[in-house]
Each structure stands twice: as C-alpha cells, then as structure tokens.
Amino acid sequence: LIVPSGVTMAAEGLKDLGTLPGGLFSKAYWINDAGQAVGFSDAAIGIRAVLWQNGAIIDHVSGAGDP
C-alpha cells in the first residue's frame, strides 16, 4: 500500500492524516493508545516533524496547527 500522506487504522478502516499546508506527502511512524500519531510531513517550507491528534496536524517545530 503506497499513499501520498500518512494513514492510521481506524474502526472504519484506513484514515488519511493529511499534510501541512503546501505539503505533498507525510508519513506516520508511531501511534499511541490515545490515538495520537507522530511522523513527518512535507510543507511549503520543507520537511517537518508533526503530531496528529484530534483531527489536527501540529508542526512540532513551530507548534502551529492545521485543523
């Protein structure tokens, strides 16, 4: 399975996690019991470490989120 953005398994199947603004791809590496996932996302300003939680993607470097 190759997809352009990070995915996690949800009760309804795979869930697309999306990318930061201007990004073309992302990858999730870990997910915890609370449903938070960490990985990276491409963005207009380069590759960024991110946290996905509660339907939002958060840039770990700037702390900015994209709901």
Side-chain angles (χ1 to χ4, degrees), residues 20 39-43 45-50 59-63:
L20 288 171
F40 72 86
S41 176
D42 181 28
I45 55 176
I47 304 291
R48 312 293 277 192
V50 295
D59 182 337
H60 261 260
V61 176
S62 71

Side-chain angles (χ1 to χ4, degrees), residues 24-66:
L24 300 175
F25 60 90
S26 65
K27 183 172 184 177
Y29 284 105
W30 294 279
I31 186 167
N32 65 19
D33 291 337
Q36 298 169 309
V38 294
F40 72 86
S41 176
D42 181 28
I45 55 176
I47 304 291
R48 312 293 277 192
V50 295
L51 167 70
W52 288 274
Q53 68 178 8
N54 301 323
I57 182 172
I58 300 166
D59 182 337
H60 261 260
V61 176
S62 71
D66 182 26

